[in-house]
Amino acid sequence: MSQFRRRIKSLLYILLISFTNCAKLDNSLILGAENVAETAGAEVQRGIMGEWGDPYDMRLIPIHSMLLPDGCVLGYGTSATGKQRADLYYEIWDVGKGTHEEARMLLEHSTKADMFCSTLNMDISTGNILIFGGDLRDDGKNLGSDNVLELNYQTHEIQHHAVGKMNYQRWYATSINLPNGEILIVGGKAQDKTYIAIPEVWSATNGFRALVDAEIPAIAGSTRKHWWYPHVYVSSRGAIFMIMPHGSNADIYHLEVEGEGTIKKIGETPFKTHVLDPSIMYRPDKVLFLDQNGRLWTFDMSGNPLVFRKNKKIGQPRTNGFFSLLPDGRVAITGGCNTTANLGNELSGANYSIQIWNPDTDKVFDGGNQQNPRLYHSTSLTLPDGTVVSAGGGAPGPVRNLNGQLYRPDYLFNENNKEAVRPVITRCPKNISTNQVFTIRVGSASQVERITASKSGASSHARNCDARWVELDFEVLDKVKIRVTVKNENVMIPGLWTINTLDKNGIPSKGCLLGVNTAKLEI
């Protein structure tokens, strides 16, 4: 009981900011910040701390990475020698074939559009990948592009999208899938070096629509780099929140996308971040941030008030680091640098460790070091088999990392440090709909303690705003069949998801890929 009293007394401050006249949200909504006690002790693990595999060569530096419906991983961003420009090459990695050279195809596209520092999402009407903006590469300068390219996930060919160009040129923009199937694009810089403060929405039926009444004040009226990949997330109520990525007391907005849009400032962040510090939605309505003091913060968007909570300090900042969602709901933290000097691209400050944060306990453990630094222009993704890939870095940088490395988390090992016996999904649908149920077949239903779903999104520049993780309700039908309930479209945003079962020891199955509210996927 004394520990509980100390925890309550450690709530040192509440920051309250009024929020009025915002549609869809209660007019009395306020923004709060909680300061909670430091959680002592390290996370206790079942066996070894996890294991890094050997580095493997890649065909280029994957500044952008995304899991495709066929289970391959798209990577692009540089030439085949690791130099800035992506107007020719991209890599397709057939994950099922391993990490050797034959598993990777270096492909060429003929669009002559440079995808360097673009943004990408699935078009749920086709399952193909849309790549928005990038670099005009005028005299070697980084200038925004309004190009829209499409990668066919079945043929792996890239071409100009038939819908045409965006309303605005964008370099360093953020894009996310919306519950209704549209895609929201915000931020970025144009060819004339102006910052793009007007968001736009793409739909498969109507193309692009500029949200001219939702101009983002922090981008329009500031020289600070808020146009660099803004943090954008959708709550379980369908509300869109945008958090500016730079400095102390950064603006937080509520954005509406109907018609020509509306925007309302609802508060400011209670911590300081760099534009290349990571964030991710680790639970419905809850977003994880890492500040410039190496402390984790969580943003709870679920109710009234909205709350920032100060969480565990993980030791040091990790500018250019990444958050990746594990099947068991924990968050892997990889890469980054302990300084913001030179865009956090200093070799002397590189963090080689992987840290695993448990949201249920606010505890972190160190899972060991990878071999290469992962700084500016690195990426990280969790793969369907539960491993984490950390790759790239460079262009520019102290090193050109045309390589990657796979991490096998602790849940893939038993208490004897041997490879764990994993539960098995033997059959899974390719497509499901929100607010419905579906049936899976497993090796043994009695082994299944939990079923989780993860949207892997797209990884680039310390961002993956499209990623999210949910736990699903289920009913055992017989020895091998389980009925699973799908969340609504605000929680399970349409797109590509991975379903995992977990046993009583927290060991996950290999994941099953499926489309949520998408066209029929050929997986």
Side-chain angles (χ1 to χ4, degrees):
M1 181 64 73
S2 59
Q3 183 179 358
F4 175 77
R5 292 195 185 101
R6 288 196 298 271
R7 185 175 179 84
I8 295 299
K9 289 180 180 179
S10 67
L11 301 176
L12 300 180
Y13 63 90
I14 296 289
L15 174 64
L16 303 178
I17 299 176
S18 296
F19 174 53
T20 57
N21 301 323
C22 184
K24 285 190 178 180
L25 298 175
D26 191 284
N27 286 343
S28 64
L29 187 65
I30 54 179
L31 180 71
E34 294 182 355
N35 186 10
V36 301
E38 187 76 27
T39 305
E43 186 78 297
V44 177
Q45 298 308 300
R46 63 175 62 85
I48 68 172
M49 59 186 179
E51 180 179 86
W52 284 100
D54 294 330
Y56 54 85
D57 292 334
M58 300 186 68
R59 305 283 190 165
L60 42 64
I61 296 175
I63 295 174
H64 304 267
S65 294
M66 187 175 188
L67 183 65
L68 304 180
D70 62 356
C72 293
V73 172
L74 166 68
Y76 68 86
T78 71
S79 70
T81 58
K83 294 183 179 180
Q84 282 192 24
R85 63 185 312 125
D87 56 357
L88 187 61
Y89 295 110
Y90 58 105
E91 181 192 81
I92 298 293
W93 173 27
D94 189 340
V95 178
K97 293 182 178 179
T99 58
H100 53 80
E101 184 177 359
E102 290 73 19
R104 300 175 177 281
M105 297 182 292
L106 183 66
L107 303 179
E108 297 183 29
H109 62 98
S110 58
T111 67
K112 300 302 180 185
D114 196 331
M115 304 180 292
F116 180 75
C117 297
S118 55
T119 184
L120 65 162
N121 294 84
M122 175 187 278
D123 170 7
I124 68 166
S125 70
T126 63
N128 293 337
I129 307 304
L130 300 187
I131 302 170
F132 302 100
D135 199 337
L136 284 180
R137 191 67 57 186
D138 183 15
D139 296 326
K141 298 177 182 178
N142 300 129
L143 302 173
S145 164
D146 53 6
N147 286 313
V148 182
L149 304 183
E150 179 180 23
L151 178 135
N152 185 308
Y153 77 89
Q154 296 181 71
T155 66
H156 296 152
E157 295 178 351
I158 290 180
Q159 59 186 359
H160 283 285
H161 194 274
V163 76
K165 297 180 181 293
M166 293 184 290
N167 289 298
Y168 302 94
Q169 298 166 333
R170 297 182 188 270
W171 179 69
Y172 270 60
T174 296
S175 58
I176 60 169
N177 289 101
L178 296 178
N180 65 357
E182 296 180 333
I183 297 173
L184 171 68
I185 308 107
V186 301
K189 186 174 73 171
Q191 182 179 6
D192 62 3
K193 300 183 181 180
T194 57
Y195 308 141
I196 307 305
I198 297 178
E200 58 189 300
V201 169
W202 176 86
S203 75
T205 53
N206 300 314
F208 289 98
R209 182 179 80 255
L211 305 182
V212 294
D213 290 338
E215 184 178 57
I216 304 167
I219 297 178
S222 175
T223 59
R224 301 167 76 182
K225 294 181 177 178
H226 290 309
W227 54 272
W228 282 43
Y229 292 103
H231 307 276
V232 188
Y233 293 97
V234 180
S235 78
S236 63
R237 293 169 290 162
I240 301 170
F241 294 96
M242 186 184 317
I243 302 96
M244 294 294 98
H246 184 71
S248 302
N249 308 119
D251 287 355
I252 303 170
Y253 299 101
H254 172 244
L255 174 69
E256 293 196 7
V257 298
E258 291 79 12
E260 296 184 337
T262 62
I263 193 168
K264 188 80 173 182
K265 180 178 176 179
I266 60 171
E268 299 174 348
T269 58
F271 51 83
K272 181 179 180 180
T273 61
H274 185 269
V275 290
L276 291 170
D277 287 339
S279 71
I280 204 162
M281 180 173 277
Y282 67 96
R283 293 286 189 276
D285 292 317
K286 294 183 179 181
V287 179
L288 183 66
F289 291 88
L290 179 62
D291 72 15
Q292 275 296 290
N293 293 315
R295 183 177 291 279
L296 297 171
W297 289 77
T298 54
F299 179 35
D300 188 340
M301 305 184 295
S302 63
N304 182 357
L306 303 177
V307 175
F308 274 101
R309 181 186 183 199
K310 183 185 287 187
N311 290 80
K312 188 165 184 69
K313 193 168 184 178
I314 64 172
Q316 64 178 18
R318 296 184 76 140
T319 299
N320 289 306
F322 271 94
F323 295 143
S324 301
L325 302 172
L326 301 180
D328 62 2
R330 295 178 299 167
V331 180
I333 310 169
T334 53
C337 185
N338 64 11
T339 176
T340 60
N342 192 28
L343 293 178
N345 211 15
E346 294 288 336
L347 190 59
S348 61
N351 192 324
Y352 295 80
S353 72
I354 183 169
Q355 294 174 287
I356 310 293
W357 177 65
N358 188 334
D360 298 327
T361 63
D362 194 28
K363 292 183 178 180
V364 177
F365 84 95
D366 191 322
N369 290 352
Q370 57 183 311
Q371 183 170 313
N372 297 312
R374 304 295 176 193
L375 301 171
Y376 188 44
H377 285 159
S378 61
T379 57
S380 180
L381 280 176
T382 301
L383 300 177
D385 67 356
T387 60
V388 178
V389 58
S390 181
V399 292
R400 289 184 186 176
N401 276 327
L402 287 87
N403 55 67
Q405 199 166 357
L406 279 176
Y407 176 74
R408 303 180 70 220
D410 62 316
Y411 50 55
L412 297 182
F413 301 90
N414 61 26
E415 63 275 6
N416 298 316
N417 298 340
K418 304 294 184 181
E419 186 170 340
V421 177
R422 305 178 68 170
V424 178
I425 299 176
T426 60
R427 186 179 298 176
C428 184
K430 296 179 180 180
N431 289 81
I432 60 174
S433 299
T434 52
N435 291 313
Q436 301 294 321
V437 296
F438 66 97
T439 301
I440 61 173
R441 288 181 178 267
V442 297
S444 173
S446 63
Q447 291 183 342
V448 177
E449 290 286 319
R450 304 168 69 194
I451 298 179
T452 66
S454 304
K455 191 172 190 282
S456 63
S459 171
S460 187
H461 293 82
R463 298 287 189 278
N464 194 340
C465 293
D466 229 17
R468 48 181 55 209
W469 179 98
V470 299
E471 187 145 10
L472 301 178
D473 296 328
F474 66 92
E475 176 188 2
V476 174
L477 301 179
D478 59 29
K479 292 181 178 180
V480 295
K481 287 195 296 185
I482 297 176
R483 180 185 292 129
V484 185
T485 302
V486 188
K487 304 290 186 181
N488 67 56
E489 63 273 12
N490 295 330
V491 176
M492 292 190 73
I493 299 286
L496 183 67
W497 286 73
T498 302
I499 302 295
N500 295 87
T501 64
L502 294 93
D503 67 14
K504 64 181 181 180
N505 295 314
I507 300 171
S509 67
K510 291 184 177 180
C512 173
L513 290 176
L514 45 78
V516 176
N517 291 0
T518 67
K520 183 179 178 181
L521 297 181
E522 299 299 328
I523 298 176

